[in-house]
Amino acid sequence: MAGDKVSFTVNEGEIFGFIGPNGAGKTTTIKTLLGLLFPTSGKAEVLGKPAGDIQAKQRISYLPESPYFYEHMTGAEVLDFYCRLFKMNAATRRKRVPELLEQVGLSRDGQRALRQYSKGMLQRIGIAQALINEPDLLFFDEPTSGLDPIAHKDIQDLILSQRKQGKTVFLSSHQLSDVENVCDRVAIINRGELVKMGSMDELLHAGRTIITVSHPGSDLVAKVQPLSEHISQDGEFTKFYTQTEENVHKIIDAVRGQATLVSVVPQRQTLEDLFVEIVREGRH
Amino acid sequence: MIIWAIARTTVGDALRKKILQVFIVVAIGLIVLSLSFSQTLSFSSQRGASSDFMLLKSFGLGMMALAGIFISLILGVTLIPQEFERRTIYTILAKPVKRYEFITGKFLGAILTLGIATGLMGITFILTIVIKAIGAQQLSASPTLGQMLGSTTEKVAIFDWNMVWGVILVYLQFMVLSSIVLLFSLIFTQTVNFFMGAAVYAVGFMSTVVISLGGAEGANVALQLFYKTISYVLPRFDQFNIPNQLLHPETQVTNMGAYTGMMALYGLLYTLLALVAAILIFERKEV
Amino acid sequence: MTDGKRKMLVALVVALVAAIVLIQFDLEPKYEKIVHAGKQIGENKSGDMMAELPGQFIVASFTGFKQVVAGALWIRADEFFHRGQYHAIVPLVRMVTWLDPHNIDVYTTGAWHLDYNFVDVANSLSDKRYIPASIAFMKEGIRNNPNIWDLYFELGWTHYHKKLWDNEMAAYYISEACKYDSVDPNSGTKQRRPDFVDRMKAHMLEKIGKFDEAEQQWNVARKKVEEALAANLKKPGSGGWVDQGTLDLCDRNHSLLLLRQGWRYGDMKRYEQGLKIAERVKTPEDWVEATQSARKDYESRIGRHWEGDASKPLDGKFNASWLRAAPRVLVIKGTVNIIPASEYKGLASESFTHWYAQNQAAEPEQQVRWRDGSRVYWRLQDIDYEMPDVDKFSWNTNLENTVAWGDIYVGGGSFLTKINMSDPRDAAMYPLKAEKYKLTVWMEPVDPGMPDYVEDRVGWKGEALIDSECLDTTTRPGYRMLKKEFILSRSDII
């Protein structure tokens, strides 16, 4: 992989989130993978081929951030142009272009010039052009940036539908909610460095569980104390924090009969929290 | 086919540039307007209709050249940087498109656009002259008017092949200029490139000055050789501008068709040179 | 791209450069031919000023970048000049002055091209039909730059005196020039008028017989030099370099004006005044000797009756004839008795020149019988041709007209010249469309090509001239000339 210190693998058929603050090196990484930029050292391979390889490009696609396209053309003309780049013949193109428009929900707008398109529609055209070759691997760079909530949702759905078809999507974003909702795995990079990587569950479920107990006796507190990392008093409630599932069960067993168990809440950390935490750490 | 697709799209895109349209429309407008020019505007001696024609032809060719030079510069300067601004270059190069195909497509697109622009202006220009010539013939055919105008009224041919050669030569220089500027656009920023391109045109246009510098008596031999070499390698825009020959078919010193052919070959080779150099540079360019 | 392919492309670049250079080798001569055809066009079709000018310039001058365009055009004009394409320069200078009306060089150069450089192939005669255009152009320049001496002087000297042989107008314009100083184009500061302008005014006044004014002018010119010397204006750029030599130059010329009045008209007072001034000058040696010799001559004439060297009549015995040597080729020949060597015997001016004495002293076979070097003038024109009024002139030069003139060297008392109008390249200069032509052959002392020693014998205005057939006193009132006029029909020439 490319970049200075970025190294990762993407599994087939997953949506791989690639997040980091602006300027973290997301786009650079993608461009390197596409062969638009050249790695200063090391090598970039995609689908087992060196980055930029023509054969590899047959099987991948790319949607840059906020593309504009040739605004004098209609949606259909733009797609026709991109189809030509895959050397599709006229008959194939005639079939493929309406399919693509259909796929991104622009069937009725295909004959309108792009300058009349909204930002969301342009983005759909962008996705449509990325789908022409039914790629195995799609690179989406900030696909939802600058979109209104409805368009945002539509684009997310489009991305999710790709996974259903068994495609691998490489999604870069600084919009964490995007990634959180759709990605299987996430890599977080900051300042050109890979900071953290894992499945959504690995990254987020590694949180703590809070067991809230009403009026525990001091014996009980003493008994549970070794199992919890932290104990806090909140009025009549005492909260026990623990990391592992095993300890959760042990604490529940201990509490049972001794006091009233009010709640057991697994503290699922949001990606946002994780991200902020990581970026902060990076600053120190 | 990929090259052609890129070229076609480029043409469509370029022709929709407002500034380009303005140049073409203004040039065409002024060429049509030049119908009203008469010798009163001319600095030439009174030679009746033929002097009017001289002005008309000279103005028309000059107008085309001037508008075309700006169009060439604008096209050459903006075509590729705009692909970056719109990020279309990334979508295109992410497709199975070879880099040389992209560059070649852009070159071809620029050349075709200039062809269309020159064609529009050229047809207007030649039509203007034909209209003027028909007018002049009717005037001299009328006996009383003929007398009034005196013996200076000369018979003027309706169609002048030299003007066709003139339009072609004008076009060829656009081709060379825009190719050079396209090549530069891979290296320089747009503003720098615009002035670089204008400078290249000016130097090429004045290359006889360079040559006479080289021929100056007492000049350093090495320097002479240097100037001489430069004059051979420079794009010789002066050689595309030969009004005396075009406006004076009676002093035919060389076959204009053959000369134009030679210049076309020269222009094509120059364009090809710029293209190959551009391919070499673009191949190593990070986009 | 593989390295192999890359190398191939680099090789292709090299090959393309080579091919371009090769084609340029082929194109160069063709282009040169076209460029030089411009010159030919100029010769054939005088007046096509648009031909050489790329239209870009014409269009560009409609824009706001006037000065820039003017500069570029002027560079271009220089290029044409080096190629000898004078015709191409004229429209350029026309436009440059239009764009930048204060560029003095452009007026002087443009006007000079107009009446000097449109030259025929066969005789190297300039096309006289452009003189009105040239003068009109200069006058336009003066209108745009009325407060500096440059263009007045140029018009008077280069055009009226040297080209039109019109000393009256030359004297007028050079006198005008003496009213103004100059402005340094770089700094905009006032610059002293060069001294030669003032001296030239004196010479021109002498030429038109205004001797007293000429004398006054010598005093003015000398005073100016004295002042400059006092102010120590020795360095270049201060409006002329002056030193004692400049002062001597004024004195020598001043004294000659007076001495000649003495010699030619026997005016002893002037003779005396002239000697006094001449004696102020201490260099060069032969001047001092000549002055001493003249002093002796002066003293020998005191108290004797003497009316001056120009009072003794000299029969011009002028005869001229023409013949058609070939179609469109005329030969003019004739004889004139100006001036036998013996006529210089005993002349007062001999005290200065010793020419006769030296000729006598030479070996017999070395002795000359004639004092050669005078000039006969000819003019061939449509019978009704008149030079257009330059003040009403509008750049229209009528190229239907035929008008030409020139001068002929006189040696051994005879003269001969050929006017060849047959070269097809000169057809535009000699349209010969009129039915009748006037050929004039004449000689007059005031013409600029006439040497001083002719006037020493016959006087400034030809006072000594007599001729039973050809004496003319009406053409230029107050002056005597020898003149013969012929009327030719078109068939006589063609």
Side-chain angles (χ1 to χ4, degrees):
Chain A
M1 229 325 293
D4 290 338
K5 294 162 187 169
V6 186
S7 177
F8 57 82
T9 3
V10 180
N11 301 324
E12 231 181 293
E14 68 176 354
I15 299 182
F16 187 85
F18 197 57
I19 65 172
N22 286 326
K26 298 178 304 250
T27 306
T28 307
T29 308
I30 295 177
K31 282 185 177 176
T32 311
L33 287 171
L34 290 164
L36 300 176
L37 299 178
F38 308 119
T40 42
S41 64
K43 62 174 184 172
E45 276 192 12
V46 178
L47 303 171
K49 300 259 165 45
D53 183 86
I54 288 290
Q55 280 178 316
K57 282 185 188 172
Q58 291 282 4
R59 295 171 51 210
I60 62 179
S61 70
Y62 175 46
L63 172 64
E65 187 182 351
S66 321
Y68 290 99
F69 305 109
Y70 304 105
E71 58 173 23
H72 67 273
M73 291 169 119
T74 66
E77 280 168 352
V78 165
L79 292 177
D80 185 78
F81 164 65
Y82 281 106
C83 284
R84 284 168 189 266
L85 300 184
F86 286 101
K87 299 185 180 165
M88 288 182 182
N89 61 33
T92 319
R93 292 201 306 271
R94 266 199 299 278
K95 202 167 131 276
R96 191 78 184 110
V97 170
E99 273 174 21
L100 289 162
L101 287 168
E102 171 76 43
Q103 229 174 323
V104 297
L106 287 174
S107 291
R108 292 198 316 197
D109 301 297
Q111 299 312 314
R112 280 166 65 193
L114 291 195
R115 78 172 71 82
Q116 300 167 311
Y117 276 31
S118 69
K119 193 119 202 297
M121 290 161 83
L122 278 176
Q123 198 66 345
R124 287 186 210 202
I125 284 290
I127 291 176
Q129 66 82 25
L131 299 178
I132 288 171
N133 53 333
E134 300 180 354
D136 298 326
L137 174 56
L138 295 96
F139 291 94
F140 287 173
D141 197 356
E142 305 277 5
T144 54
S145 99
L147 297 186
D148 62 72
I150 296 170
H152 195 132
K153 177 77 172 56
D154 289 348
I155 300 293
Q156 277 192 356
D157 291 346
L158 271 168
I159 295 168
L160 282 169
S161 73
Q162 291 307 305
R163 181 170 52 188
K164 279 184 203 140
Q165 293 169 36
K167 311 287 184 196
T168 307
V169 178
F170 191 102
L171 176 69
S172 123
S173 182
H174 65 277
Q175 302 235 354
L176 300 148
S177 53
D178 276 6
V179 182
E180 200 171 350
N181 291 341
V182 301
C183 289
D184 301 308
R185 286 201 312 145
V186 173
I188 300 175
I189 68 162
N190 191 26
R191 301 186 186 175
E193 269 181 66
L194 182 65
V195 183
K196 202 152 197 159
M197 187 173 81
S199 71
M200 283 309 264
D201 287 343
E202 277 165 8
L203 285 175
L204 302 176
H205 292 205
R208 294 169 286 197
T209 302
I210 305 168
I211 301 155
T212 310
V213 180
S214 173
H215 300 294
S218 53
D219 311 354
L220 182 61
V221 174
K223 192 179 167 193
V224 173
Q225 193 151 25
L227 300 170
S228 56
E229 294 147 5
H230 178 69
I231 299 167
S232 71
Q233 197 66 40
D234 181 9
E236 57 180 300
F237 304 115
T238 301
K239 289 182 173 176
F240 299 99
Y241 295 80
T242 185
Q243 283 277 19
T244 63
E245 202 147 344
E246 194 193 341
N247 284 349
V248 172
H249 291 297
K250 281 185 182 166
I251 292 169
I252 293 170
D253 287 344
V255 170
R256 200 169 284 144
Q258 303 282 328
T260 316
L261 182 67
V262 179
S263 66
V264 178
V265 180
Q267 179 81 65
R268 180 171 163 134
Q269 195 180 12
T270 62
L271 197 50
E272 188 96 33
D273 297 336
L274 185 66
F275 185 66
V276 170
E277 213 169 88
I278 285 165
V279 172
R280 273 216 195 107
E281 271 167 22
R283 290 216 180 109
H284 292 309
Chain B
M1 176 170 157
I2 289 176
I3 294 174
W4 179 239
I6 293 172
R8 244 181 45 156
T9 312
T10 305
V11 171
D13 189 42
L15 284 179
R16 278 172 182 82
K17 277 185 204 299
K18 283 278 174 320
I19 182 148
L20 212 98
Q21 294 172 351
V22 167
F23 268 111
I24 297 176
V25 168
V26 168
I28 287 179
L30 284 174
I31 289 169
V32 173
L33 208 70
S34 72
L35 263 176
S36 64
F37 288 4
S38 79
Q39 71 213 10
T40 49
L41 234 178
S42 156
F43 303 105
S44 172
S45 306
Q46 189 167 25
R47 294 186 59 240
S50 72
S51 131
D52 281 6
F53 268 89
M54 201 98 74
L55 182 67
L56 199 71
K57 289 172 177 177
S58 183
F59 183 88
L61 286 170
M63 196 65 236
M64 277 194 290
L66 211 65
I69 287 158
F70 275 102
I71 294 173
S72 308
L73 286 174
I74 290 164
L75 276 185
V77 164
T78 58
L79 274 185
I80 293 176
Q82 234 170 39
E83 293 282 330
F84 283 94
E85 277 163 28
R86 287 189 296 216
R87 299 184 179 80
T88 37
I89 190 169
Y90 306 122
T91 53
I92 292 170
L93 289 182
K95 306 264 180 291
V97 172
K98 297 191 183 76
R99 286 184 171 216
Y100 81 83
E101 290 174 325
F102 176 78
I103 282 290
T104 313
K106 283 285 150 193
F107 265 70
L108 195 59
I111 288 168
L112 287 174
T113 309
L114 287 168
I116 292 166
T118 316
L120 286 173
M121 294 190 292
I123 289 168
T124 314
F125 169 61
I126 289 170
L127 273 179
T128 305
I129 288 177
V130 168
I131 289 167
K132 183 95 177 175
I134 292 171
Q137 275 204 343
Q138 282 171 351
L139 214 61
S140 56
S142 145
T144 44
L145 267 174
Q147 273 168 7
M148 272 167 61
L149 289 165
S151 54
T152 50
T153 314
E154 291 161 25
K155 201 162 165 64
V156 187
I158 292 288
F159 189 77
D160 183 358
W161 267 102
N162 272 336
M163 292 305 108
V164 177
W165 303 131
V167 173
I168 292 174
L169 284 168
V170 157
Y171 170 67
L172 288 169
Q173 62 180 329
F174 302 160
M175 188 173 83
V176 173
L177 181 61
S178 69
S179 304
I180 290 171
V181 179
L182 268 171
L183 165 65
F184 286 174
S185 76
L186 298 175
I187 307 165
F188 304 112
T189 65
Q190 297 197 35
T191 323
V192 171
N193 191 7
F194 185 86
F195 288 103
M196 285 278 294
V200 164
Y201 183 79
V203 170
F205 192 71
M206 300 260 179
S207 27
T208 39
V209 175
V210 175
I211 294 167
S212 52
L213 280 177
E217 271 177 52
N220 185 319
V221 179
L223 216 57
Q224 277 188 19
L225 200 70
F226 173 71
Y227 283 129
K228 192 82 195 157
T229 315
I230 282 198
S231 76
Y232 273 97
V233 181
L234 267 182
R236 292 290 298 271
F237 290 111
D238 58 336
Q239 289 177 170
F240 296 102
N241 289 282
I242 45 165
N244 65 38
Q245 185 65 168
L246 294 175
L247 304 187
H248 287 279
E250 74 278 7
T251 318
Q252 202 69 269
V253 294
T254 183
N255 182 323
M256 270 317 291
Y259 181 79
T260 310
M262 242 2 230
M263 284 311 290
L265 183 61
Y266 180 80
L268 281 172
L269 285 179
Y270 228 104
T271 307
L272 196 58
L273 176 65
L275 173 62
V276 176
I279 288 171
L280 279 168
I281 290 170
F282 193 62
E283 202 62 44
R284 291 277 169 97
K285 188 178 164 69
E286 300 212 313
V287 293
Chain C
M1 191 184 288
T2 61
D3 276 355
K5 275 188 191 157
R6 207 174 164 78
K7 275 179 193 151
M8 258 175 58
L9 284 185
V10 173
L12 182 58
V13 166
V14 174
L16 280 170
V17 171
I20 285 165
V21 170
L22 274 179
I23 290 184
Q24 183 55 32
F25 267 108
D26 179 78
L27 274 168
E28 187 89 19
K30 286 187 181 133
Y31 177 61
E32 279 301 304
K33 242 165 104 184
I34 288 172
V35 165
H36 287 296
K39 195 181 170 191
Q40 223 181 325
I41 289 163
E43 281 155 0
N44 274 341
K45 295 224 138 201
S46 303
D48 281 352
M49 298 178 176
M50 208 55 80
E52 265 297 335
L53 191 62
Q56 286 94 307
F57 283 119
I58 294 175
V59 179
S61 36
F62 289 96
T63 66
F65 303 100
K66 284 190 169 188
Q67 305 289 328
V68 178
V69 177
L73 286 171
W74 193 223
I75 293 172
R76 190 105 179 130
D78 192 54
E79 221 181 299
F80 288 136
F81 174 71
H82 289 296
R83 286 197 219 133
Q85 285 169 263
Y86 304 113
H87 273 274
I89 297 174
V90 175
L92 284 175
V93 299
R94 198 75 195 86
M95 295 195 84
V96 176
T97 56
W98 177 54
L99 296 167
D100 180 5
H102 303 298
N103 196 334
I104 304 304
D105 278 353
V106 182
Y107 287 109
T108 52
T109 313
W112 174 62
H113 283 310
L114 272 170
D115 64 4
Y116 278 77
N117 287 330
F118 298 170
V119 173
D120 68 3
V121 178
N123 316 286
S124 296
L125 285 171
S126 61
D127 193 334
K128 306 297 189 287
R129 294 171 299 184
Y130 286 101
I131 291 180
S134 165
I135 288 175
F137 189 44
M138 287 303 294
K139 285 191 169 180
E140 186 182 299
I142 288 173
R143 277 197 298 279
N144 290 331
N145 304 277
N147 297 320
I148 52 173
W149 66 272
D150 308 59
L151 293 177
Y152 295 104
F153 179 81
E154 184 72 18
L155 176 57
W157 177 251
T158 310
H159 303 284
Y160 275 116
H161 175 60
K162 302 267 279 184
K163 209 70 196 176
L164 272 175
W165 308 334
D166 186 338
N167 294 328
E168 296 279 345
M169 288 304 281
Y172 169 76
Y173 275 104
I174 293 173
S175 300
E176 286 297 299
C178 287
K179 292 178 185 168
Y180 303 99
D181 274 326
S182 194
V183 174
D184 180 4
N186 297 317
S187 62
T189 52
K190 203 171 163 182
Q191 211 177 31
R192 199 173 151 269
R193 171 177 76 245
D195 298 297
F196 69 81
V197 182
D198 301 81
R199 295 199 293 274
M200 210 52 82
K201 177 180 171 185
H203 283 300
M204 290 320 295
L205 288 169
E206 179 184 333
K207 274 275 176 198
I208 58 173
K210 294 186 171 169
F211 303 130
D212 292 345
E213 285 177 39
E215 206 204 335
Q216 271 173 26
Q217 180 60 24
W218 281 119
N219 287 328
V220 169
R222 190 179 202 279
K223 196 160 168 251
K224 217 177 149 232
V225 176
E226 277 170 359
E227 282 165 7
L229 272 176
N232 202 19
L233 290 177
K234 284 190 176 177
K235 54 180 190 300
S238 55
W241 195 82
V242 292
D243 62 3
Q244 182 61 39
T246 326
L247 220 48
D248 289 351
L249 186 69
C250 290
D251 284 343
R252 283 199 298 269
N253 282 315
H254 187 179
S255 66
L256 275 171
L257 168 68
L258 296 167
L259 289 171
R260 282 173 181 155
Q261 288 178 70
W263 298 335
R264 294 175 189 176
Y265 302 144
D267 187 335
M268 290 298 279
K269 199 174 137 213
R270 289 286 185 218
Y271 203 163
E272 166 65 15
Q273 287 170 342
L275 281 171
K276 273 194 181 141
I277 294 170
E279 280 157 4
R280 289 210 294 246
V281 182
K282 303 298 178 213
T283 53
E285 233 168 78
D286 53 355
W287 172 266
V288 179
E289 280 168 22
T291 313
Q292 288 164 354
S293 154
R295 169 66 71 184
K296 275 187 210 138
D297 177 82
Y298 168 74
E299 279 162 2
S300 74
R301 291 181 197 274
I302 296 173
R304 276 167 50 192
H305 175 75
W306 176 54
E307 282 177 354
D309 296 344
S311 64
K312 195 172 89 187
L314 176 70
D315 188 347
K317 296 180 188 164
F318 188 70
N319 190 25
S321 63
W322 64 270
L323 63 90
R324 191 184 75 154
R328 290 174 166 266
V329 179
L330 291 185
V331 167
I332 298 169
K333 59 179 183 173
T335 51
V336 64
N337 189 35
I338 288 179
I339 293 175
S342 57
E343 288 294 323
Y344 285 86
K345 187 182 179 186
L347 290 196
S349 61
E350 268 293 293
S351 66
F352 231 74
T353 61
H354 306 301
W355 182 83
Y356 180 77
Q358 279 165 11
N359 191 38
Q360 286 297 106
E363 296 293 319
E365 62 271 23
Q366 306 268 311
Q367 285 178 16
V368 296
R369 289 177 48 234
W370 293 87
R371 194 154 189 193
D372 293 334
S374 62
R375 278 181 156 70
V376 163
Y377 296 81
W378 62 267
R379 178 184 173 110
L380 175 70
Q381 62 165 66
D382 297 345
I383 194 157
D384 54 357
Y385 176 80
E386 267 180 56
M387 192 172 111
D389 182 350
V390 291
D391 292 321
K392 291 178 190 156
F393 181 73
S394 71
W395 283 85
N396 295 333
T397 295
N398 186 349
L399 299 176
E400 306 281 293
N401 292 330
T402 305
V403 54
W405 64 76
D407 59 350
I408 317 169
Y409 179 85
V410 180
S414 67
F415 56 90
L416 173 82
T417 196
K418 185 169 80 171
I419 310 167
N420 182 354
M421 298 173 281
S422 67
D423 194 305
R425 286 169 293 175
D426 298 333
M429 189 160 146
Y430 304 107
L432 295 173
K433 288 192 177 169
E435 277 311 309
K436 296 277 180 196
Y437 297 86
K438 188 164 78 179
L439 172 67
T440 318
V441 185
W442 78 97
M443 170 183 257
E444 76 180 315
V446 289
D447 277 326
M450 211 55 114
D452 289 334
Y453 51 76
V454 173
E455 291 171 343
D456 279 343
R457 175 61 189 86
V458 301
W460 271 287
K461 302 179 182 180
E463 288 88 343
L465 282 178
I466 55 166
D467 193 303
S468 52
E469 281 176 34
C470 299
L471 188 69
D472 175 289
T473 52
T474 53
T475 307
R476 207 192 289 271
Y479 291 80
R480 294 157 85 88
M481 63 169 77
L482 306 172
K483 185 171 125 183
K484 237 181 146 164
E485 224 170 67
F486 307 94
I487 304 299
L488 280 67
S489 67
R490 193 160 178 269
S491 56
D492 289 336
I493 304 171
I494 290 179

